[in-house]
Amino acid sequence: MIWKTNTHLFTATVCQHTGKTCPAVQRMAEKLSQAMEASKPVTSDDFEIAGNSVLNHCPMECPAKFEASHDRIRIFCGVTPEAETEDLNRFADALFDPHPHPLTSTRFERPCAIVEAEPVTVHQPLEQYATF
């Protein structure tokens, strides 16, 4: 699923448990994007936050691992706090990046769903993402 707010373009995979996109992780992604947008005036360009949460409004009450910067936000659902962020990002790159690098590792904790948000720029038409 792809959707857009005034500040971010969101891309979400379907949940491997429910077969649908998860409204709980969608809300979390939008709230994180609002927080990152609000922090811009008082943070540097390389500001990042990362953490873990539990999606209480998810039917599975999935644990979620997130990382957010002014350049990109990613939320990985259904993974433990110990899951390797580097492996999760390579997996997400294979899904979302139009020019991904090969995914060489097959042994890592796979998320049941992923959401990615990128800031919308003035010259970034939504149509460029219609290749899914």
Side-chain angles (χ1 to χ4, degrees):
M1 179 170 148
I2 300 172
W3 76 100
K4 184 178 171 186
T5 64
N6 290 336
T7 60
H8 285 80
L9 178 69
F10 299 84
T11 308
T13 65
V14 296
C15 173
Q16 299 301 301
H17 298 294
T18 66
K20 300 183 269 185
T21 53
C22 177
V25 75
Q26 287 175 257
R27 282 191 299 274
M28 183 178 177
E30 287 185 15
K31 294 298 181 186
L32 270 173
S33 70
Q34 291 168 4
M36 291 305 293
E37 193 66 25
S39 73
K40 273 187 177 181
V42 294
T43 58
S44 62
D45 289 341
D46 62 349
F47 174 71
E48 295 180 352
I49 59 172
N52 301 291
S53 183
V54 174
L55 299 171
N56 291 328
H57 297 288
C58 166
M60 305 301 292
E61 292 194 11
C62 280
K65 186 170 188 160
F66 66 89
E67 57 178 27
S69 69
H70 292 303
D71 296 326
R72 179 180 73 197
I73 298 167
R74 281 189 175 161
I75 305 170
F76 303 96
C77 302
V79 297
T80 63
E82 295 79 25
E84 288 293 327
T85 304
E86 186 177 327
D87 291 336
L88 293 171
N89 276 317
R90 272 191 298 225
F91 185 65
D93 289 344
L95 294 173
F96 297 131
D97 189 339
H99 307 289
H101 297 288
L103 186 62
T104 55
S105 175
T106 58
R107 291 191 158 157
F108 63 93
E109 196 173 340
R110 286 191 175 85
C112 63
I114 305 172
V115 173
E116 179 177 87
E118 293 182 318
V120 174
T121 61
V122 176
H123 305 291
Q124 182 181 33
L126 185 58
E127 292 79 32
Q128 83 180 50
Y129 295 95
T131 60
F132 288 98

